[in-house]
Amino acid sequence: MQCMSGLKQKIRQFKKDVKAAVLPVAALLFPVILGMAALGVDAGSWLVNQRNLQNAADAAALAAAWEIARGD
């Protein structure tokens, strides 16, 4: 039983320790940080996709202009 009372005492000390509050805060903020990172990756992907589509449209317009200029 000495071990159990020592464990209870350690738990009480852990609850009173202000420095121990970092772990719950980190646990609560981790999904938020992960979500923001995922949103950043998605936004970057959207921008890259939009840039690729714009490049394809510009290439098609340039090819059409060359064909018109050649008379084909």
Side-chain angles (χ1 to χ4, degrees), residues 7-24:
L7 181 62
K8 288 181 182 180
Q9 184 180 8
K10 291 282 186 187
I11 291 173
R12 282 191 201 110
Q13 287 175 352
F14 184 76
K15 285 182 180 179
K16 289 179 183 178
D17 191 9
V18 176
K19 291 182 272 185
V22 172
L23 185 62

Side-chain angles (χ1 to χ4, degrees), residues 43-67:
S45 174
W46 295 333
L47 290 173
V48 167
N49 190 29
Q50 190 257 348
R51 175 55 40 204
N52 288 338
L53 289 172
Q54 186 65 50
N55 285 340
D58 291 344
L62 188 59
W66 276 105
E67 290 297 320

Side-chain angles (χ1 to χ4, degrees), residues 18-47:
V18 176
K19 291 182 272 185
V22 172
L23 185 62
V25 170
L28 290 174
L29 288 179
F30 185 69
V32 174
I33 294 169
L34 196 61
M36 295 299 280
L39 186 63
V41 169
D42 277 347
S45 174
W46 295 333
L47 290 173

